[in-house]
Structures are given as C-alpha cells and as structure tokens.
Amino acid sequence: MDHSIDVPKRVSYIIERLIGAGYSAYAVGGCVRDSIIGKVPSDWDICTSALPQQTLEVLGKPNLVENGMKHGTVTVRYDDENYEITTFRSDGVYDDNRHPRQVSFVSDLREDLARRDLTINALAYNQRDGLVDLFGGAEDIEKGIIRCVGNPDERFSEDGLRIMRTLRFASVLGFDIDEETALSVHKNAHLLKNISAERIASEFNKLLMGKNAERVLSEYYDVIAVFIPELLPMVGFEQKTPHHVYDVWEHTVKVISFSPEDRILRLTAFFHDIGKPECFTVSPDGTGHFHGHPDVSERIAADVLRRLKYDNKTINTVCLLVRLHDKRPPAEPKYVRRFLSELGEELFPELLKLKRADAMGQSEFRRKEKLEYISELRRLYDEELEKGSAYSLGMLRINGRDIMSLGVRDGRQVGMILRKMLDFVIDGELENDRERLLACAKELALSDNAGI
Ligand code: ATP
Ligand code: MG
C-alpha cells in the first residue's frame, strides 16, 4: 500500500531544516495515523534527534512559543499554528502507573516509537524515509485493529491511562481490540484508580462520542465501572415492561448510540436511567415501574460528574436534561411553553433529540406514536418561537423596577409577582402587553390572596 502522506508546508519545512542541520526528524504519532486513515489531523507533532537547545538553534528563537527543555518539547509558532517538536526519548521505569521515573533523551527513533502506546500511534514519517513502521501499525490500521506496542500488561502497568486510550481509539475509529490487548484491558482495569479524574474524563468523553461507543461500552463496562461503579446495578437489570426489550444497561448503551455525537447528549444518555434499579417496583400484574427514576438518575449524575471534575456548566446542563428526560407534556401550545420555560430555547430541541434516541432504544411497542409525539413537540416549539411567545422573566414586557414603582418594596415579593405573571402569560391567561401586565401587577400587589 502506498503511504505517501500530505505533510503541511510548515511541517516539512521544520523537518527539512532539522535534517539539513544533520539531525533526524519525523512527523509522528496521531498525525501520521490520521493521515493514513484519511482523516485530517488535528495537530502535527514532530520528533527529532536534536536536543531542545539544538532545535532552537536550528529554527531560530523568534518563533519560539514555549521552551519545555526538561520534557524535551519545544513549541514554535508559524502563521497562527503551533508545532511541537520533541526530542526522541525513552521513558525508563514508571512509578505509580503514571509517571516515568526518568525520561532520557535518545538518538534512536526506534526507542521513541517503542515508548508509544499503540501500534497505530507508533508511526513516523518524513519525505526522505517515507513511513517508518516498526511495530506493524500500518497493517493494524488496514485491518482495523488496536494493539499495544509490546506487552500489554507491561504497557498498562507503566501508564494506566493507556487502558482508556485503547478503548477511546476502538470507539472513535471503529476498530477491534486485539485479543491479547483486550484481555489485558480487563485484567488491568483497576489501574485506572491511579489516574487523575480529569485525564479519565477527557478520554471518557471521546469514547462516548465515538461511532463504536455501543460495542466498547457493552464489552468493557467493567472498565468504566472502575471510575463509575454506579453503573453496575444497571447491568442485567430486566425491566419487565412491554416498552423495553433490553435490560437497563443494554438500553442505556443503545440510547447513547442513537444520540448525536455530542458530548452533552451522550453524557445525558449515559446517566438518564442510572437511577432505575433503585426505583424498581412491580405491580400485581407483574409489570415493572420506575417511578421517580429521573430524580434519582439526576442525583447520581451530579455525584459522578462532580467526582470526575466536570465543569459546572456541563454538570448543570446534563442534570437538567436527565431530570426532564421522561417528562411528557401534552402536545399543546400551553404545555409546550411551560416545558420551554423549564428547559430554555437552546436545550428544548436537545432534549427532543435525547427523547428520540430513548424511544429508539426501547421496544417497538408504540414506537411510532412516541416518535410522532416528539415531532409534534418540535413543531409546536418552532411555532412558539416563530410567534415570539414569552417563556422567561426577561421576555416579559415589564420588569422588577416597574413592580417596585407600584410600591412593592420586598425583593422576594417582586420576584414572586413577576413569576406569577409569567405563568399567566405562558398559560395564555394574560397577554404580554405592558399596559395589561401593569394592571395585573397592581392587582397582585394589592391583593391579599395573591398567593404570595
Ligand atoms: P489525538 O490527538 O487525536 O487525541 P493522539 O494519538 O495524537 O490522538 P496525543 O495525546 O496527541 O494523542 O499524543 C500524541 C502521541 O503521543 C500519540 O499518538 C502516541 O504516540 C503518544 N502517546 C500519547 N499518550 C501516550 C501514553 N499515555 N502512552 C504512550 N504514548 C502516548
Ligand atoms: Mg495529537
């Protein structure tokens, strides 16, 4: 197979300069992998036999962005793009399954490739030597196989994060994991306990968004359970209802794969039913129910996401979507406006996508009606936006100052009057018209039984 690679001008320039000065230099890792697969690489890493100081001398200081002398990485900037140039290294002995005790610079490309995690990532390329593939990475790409460089048990013991990277690449690229590597992933999963929450979460996000997430999650739930043990009760939990053909975990995995490849939606799908096992009851006819499960799922999602150090915006959004995922407002304008008020304009269509994925991951029982209902909600949502209907306090044609000028002093009371009027407007009992709102506010402010 022809493996000539389209290397960006700047990258060839850097490589040529280094080679011209007597060093060896290659594009390496993810960029070579992606080029062979036919994907546009997100960034180009370069490796070289030159020491950082020597790289600087060759390329000249003006383009220097960061000088990681100790780690061997020099970052330079050309035309708004950063390029990392790293001296060949070997990682030596590892402490605590994470940190190499010592990193030593080496002059040989082979050693640098040997320290890399997977064969598909242990590829180097330059125009002079073409593809340098010492571990069968190109063949593994062709066959769609993820395999460790060297002995998997050793490689995972050196750095537990590689376990997640293995699953991530299997999911994103749709590749199979080689049998020896797969066994080792299961065997060494516990090593993820030593890896920081942030690094795990970053790989977990990519895994969830991969096209092969369904298979990876079903086959490797034990690995995910090392950092999210809360998922275990879902596995094998039969639902005993005509709406479902899958157990809770199988259903969850289906919903993830039916969801768009979007981080928030896939996280929501992951957590949406995680509270079901805790809420299970059976009615006399033997049908299973899960009353209150969205709230329990929300609580678990919040616990897990906080523990994995997700940012607050992600946590709040996922929690809101999980809490509301099973809500089924009547497909009528008034109820759609209420739902819109709970979700906001942006999240409303997102929740509908999740609902659609949820329906697709259930049995075929009433599926057609479920999907039609969701389309109808979407149609009504578009209609309300088109009409410019008010669904938030900020959209009312009256504000807190107006209420205060009516003599209401207490801030809390001001808020309650506004909220009450918004509810009237949402329910279609009051027009969003300044004069009418003012009249209503006056009445509410004076009224003893305003419910406030
Ligand atoms: P992407 O950038 O698309 O997420 P990548 O493979 O480029 O994927 P990076 O984190 O950018 O991932 O790493 C660049 C290269 O460094 C990898 O291709 C691999 O050769 C090597 N590498 C990264 N992380 C590890 C690791 N934990 N153990 C061994 N080698 C690694
Ligand atoms: Mg990369």
Side-chain angles (χ1 to χ4, degrees), residues 158-179:
E158 287 168 1
D159 178 2
L161 187 72
R162 290 174 187 158
I163 292 166
M164 281 305 283
R165 286 179 53 91
T166 300
L167 298 190
R168 184 251 282 198
F169 285 113
S171 175
V172 169
L173 302 176
F175 284 13
D176 290 332
I177 302 174
D178 167 71
E179 197 180 324

Side-chain angles (χ1 to χ4, degrees), residues 30 42-43 45:
S42 54
D43 47 26
D45 296 324

Side-chain angles (χ1 to χ4, degrees), residues 425-443:
V425 170
I426 287 173
D427 285 357
E429 290 165 21
L430 177 64
E431 217 179 303
N432 188 17
D433 165 272
R434 197 168 157 77
E435 292 311 312
R436 283 173 207 258
L437 289 166
L438 278 170
C440 173
K442 229 175 257 172
E443 220 172 288

Side-chain angles (χ1 to χ4, degrees), residues 49 54 57 61 140 172 189 229 241-242 269 276 286-287 295 297-298 365-366 390 398 425 448:
S49 61
Q54 296 169 327
E57 279 159 22
K61 292 209 167 80
D140 282 344
V172 169
T241 137
K276 266 190 170 178
T287 307
D295 289 346
S297 297
E298 181 195 3
F365 175 64
R366 309 231 306 249
I398 189 172
V425 170
D448 284 336

Side-chain angles (χ1 to χ4, degrees), residues 28-31 33-34 42-43 45 94 115-117 121-122 155 159 161-162 165 168-169 199 206:
V28 69
C31 58
R33 175 198 70 222
D34 288 344
S42 54
D43 47 26
D45 296 324
Y94 278 73
R115 76 171 168 90
R116 293 172 186 272
D117 52 357
N121 292 339
R155 303 316 308 282
D159 178 2
L161 187 72
R162 290 174 187 158
R165 286 179 53 91
R168 184 251 282 198
F169 285 113
R199 295 176 79 203
K206 293 176 188 165

